[in-house]
Amino acid sequence: MKRKLAAAIGIAGMVVSVAACGSGDDKDSGKQGADVKELTVWLTVDAQNNWPELVKAADAAVKKKHPGIKIEHEYYGWPDKNTKLDAVLATDKVPDVVEMGNTEMLGYMVKGAFAPLDAGKFDNSATWLDGLKASVTYEGKTYGVPYYAGGRVGNWRKDLFASAGVKSTPKTYKELTAALDKVQKKEGDKFSAWYQPTRDWYAAMSFVYDAGGSIAKEEGGQWKANLSSPESLKGLTEFKNVVDTYMHGDKTKDESDRYIVYGQGKSGMIFGAAWEGATAADPKNDKTGKLKDNLENFVMPGPSGKNMPVFLGGSDLAVPVKSDAQGVAAEWINAFAGSSGQKGLMAKGNLPNNKTDLATLKNDPATAVPATAAESNWFVPMAPGWGQVEKAQVLQTMLQNIGTGKKSVEAAAKEADAAIDKVINTK
């Protein structure tokens, strides 16, 4: 579910032509309905492979309202989509609807690539999940519609913890660390009771937000880094304690192959995307032959005593500012990602875009854990220069310096704050 923002930063070539279009409010004049003859929708292959019937249903709803309209679809893999999008946004032949990873939205909103939308015209907008709502909001305006979400959970090996005398899933952070201590002692210092890659900033920032800190704060229209605040330092210090105590792997790695390491049987627990446990247990990844019936997701408890706030990955749907069918594009989005579409997406194992539907998943044992975990969530600072922070890997560098002991928590955080402050307000 994680989407990289780097591709969104490389859109300078289309900035001038896009910005010249203004807000897009007049672009759709006279083309809200009957005058629109064709609609082009770009989605990723996730929709093509996993829920094509939902695409067809949205098409049918729009065609019923606009007889004779032609709807074309193009599907892209995540690595290819933004390269193609950047190229067409510099022309007058743009798609009318485009799917974006939620961390990709910001760079395009900053550059004026997407048309502002009236959130009130979309189902469930009043209860969109906070993190998803943040991903489509810039300077008080809405530029997209949350499509679906994926959260993060704890996952552990029941067999290992049971063999160490742990009888039940931990409900508190104290219970969790006590259980991890037992496993670590039993398995020895070459084993990671909790495999927590040091450069995994999604996990580290969950500790920061749990402690009441943040990456950055907005004050008076300007953003300022906040990793050196007492609250943020408290969260970073606890993250370091986890890495020091339970992570006995390479402390310069990120989370990209975590599920592979987990599948090798070298750890007892992970904290990551909800799909990672099941992927580790896939026969092609499970080198132990024991994971299929022994892995269990659980809601990650935070040191604060509350559920750990998690980063919500997922997708949004946006309308390019150059589209000459913005009104019908918005109708298609609502038909696809509105109330009926959310039910279809949930049936496919996705988290919905809103709190009302999320509450229904909490009542189903099969979905209760990821749904409950997603209730407490955070998102990146929606600052104009955030893309430059990600591109420079400021957080990853800070965390590696902390995890390897190269720098103290305080020194690494102070250095990261200085690097963030240099660019975070720059468009």
Side-chain angles (χ1 to χ4, degrees):
M1 288 292 182
K2 180 181 66 179
R3 312 301 188 203
K4 299 296 186 182
L5 185 60
I9 309 307
I11 59 177
M14 60 88 175
V15 170
V16 174
S17 59
V18 168
C21 293
S23 69
D25 293 340
D26 297 324
K27 190 69 178 172
D28 201 28
S29 178
K31 298 209 175 184
Q32 297 289 336
D35 290 341
V36 175
K37 303 301 182 184
E38 184 176 313
L39 196 72
T40 302
V41 177
W42 282 17
L43 299 171
T44 67
V45 292
D46 299 331
Q48 184 181 32
N49 296 335
N50 300 318
W51 43 87
E53 69 277 12
L54 301 184
V55 177
K56 292 179 181 178
D59 288 354
V62 171
K63 288 178 179 179
K64 183 177 180 180
K65 186 173 180 180
H66 304 283
I69 192 172
K70 181 180 180 182
I71 303 178
E72 294 186 349
H73 297 278
E74 293 187 28
Y75 295 93
Y76 294 90
W78 283 105
D80 308 318
K81 174 183 64 67
N82 286 2
T83 300
K84 177 70 173 177
L85 180 62
D86 294 348
V88 301
L89 286 178
T91 74
D92 291 324
K93 183 63 175 176
V94 300
D96 302 296
V97 177
V98 62
E99 176 182 350
M100 304 293 296
N102 60 358
T103 61
E104 296 172 343
M105 284 289 294
L106 180 57
Y108 289 85
M109 293 190 294
V110 169
K111 300 302 183 184
F114 297 144
L117 303 173
D118 180 356
K121 293 183 177 180
F122 298 94
D123 294 351
N124 305 308
S125 60
T127 60
W128 283 342
L129 298 179
D130 295 339
L132 298 186
K133 181 178 180 180
S135 75
V136 298
T137 306
Y138 182 66
E139 294 186 339
K141 292 185 178 181
T142 301
Y143 290 93
V145 174
Y147 172 12
Y148 66 89
R152 283 165 166 73
V153 297
N155 182 286
W156 71 351
R157 285 185 57 175
K158 294 184 293 182
D159 57 338
L160 279 178
F161 281 85
S163 69
V166 179
K167 298 180 179 180
S168 60
T169 306
K171 303 299 182 185
T172 67
Y173 192 72
K174 184 177 181 179
E175 290 177 359
L176 175 62
T177 54
L180 289 165
D181 289 341
K182 291 180 180 179
V183 168
Q184 193 64 67
K185 182 178 180 180
K186 182 175 184 297
E187 298 295 329
D189 59 11
K190 292 184 178 181
F191 184 85
S192 295
W194 176 350
Y195 181 73
Q196 179 50 65
T198 308
R199 292 173 65 88
D200 176 12
W201 65 277
Y202 297 101
M205 293 305 105
S206 286
F207 280 88
V208 168
Y209 282 90
D210 179 71
S214 60
I215 300 171
K217 283 186 173 183
E218 185 178 19
E219 298 176 358
Q222 291 288 301
W223 287 85
K224 184 170 179 56
N226 192 48
L227 293 168
S228 295
S229 70
E231 296 83 2
S232 295
L233 290 175
K234 181 179 180 181
L236 288 171
T237 299
E238 184 55 34
F239 181 76
K240 176 176 168 56
N241 289 339
V242 167
V243 172
D244 287 349
T245 307
Y246 306 118
M247 167 62 177
H248 298 286
D250 184 347
K251 294 185 179 180
T252 66
K253 292 188 68 174
D254 64 18
E255 72 280 9
S256 59
D257 66 345
R258 173 169 45 210
Y259 68 94
I260 295 175
V261 176
Y262 199 29
Q264 292 171 342
K266 298 179 180 180
S267 58
M269 173 195 147
I270 59 173
F271 171 40
W275 54 265
E276 291 187 51
T279 305
D282 186 297
K284 66 176 177 288
N285 296 319
D286 180 9
K287 306 305 180 184
T288 71
K290 301 177 181 179
L291 299 185
K292 182 178 179 181
D293 298 318
N294 280 307
L295 295 187
E296 179 182 32
N297 282 338
F298 58 93
V299 178
M300 189 70 179
S304 68
K306 301 178 181 178
N307 291 344
M308 186 80 86
V310 299
F311 176 83
L312 287 183
S315 282
D316 299 324
L317 297 165
V319 179
V321 73
K322 287 187 175 183
S323 166
D324 60 3
Q326 293 176 18
V328 179
E331 292 176 13
W332 190 93
I333 290 174
N334 197 43
F336 183 56
S339 295
S340 60
Q342 291 302 311
K343 289 180 173 58
L345 288 165
M346 287 190 293
K348 296 291 184 177
N350 300 293
L351 293 178
N353 66 5
N354 65 93
K355 299 172 185 176
T356 303
D357 285 328
L358 190 71
T360 67
L361 294 182
K362 290 176 61 180
N363 298 322
D364 183 344
T367 55
V369 168
T372 301
E375 284 187 311
S376 178
N377 55 80
W378 62 272
F379 199 65
V380 299
M382 296 302 285
W386 175 251
Q388 296 183 59
V389 177
E390 279 209 40
K391 188 177 181 180
Q393 298 192 357
V394 173
L395 297 182
Q396 292 94 320
T397 299
M398 174 189 72
L399 294 170
Q400 183 171 321
N401 286 336
I402 290 173
T404 58
K406 184 177 180 180
K407 295 185 177 180
S408 68
V409 172
E410 293 80 3
K414 185 176 180 180
E415 181 180 74
D417 275 352
I420 291 171
D421 282 339
K422 285 182 180 179
V423 297
I424 196 168
N425 292 296
T426 304
K427 290 188 177 181

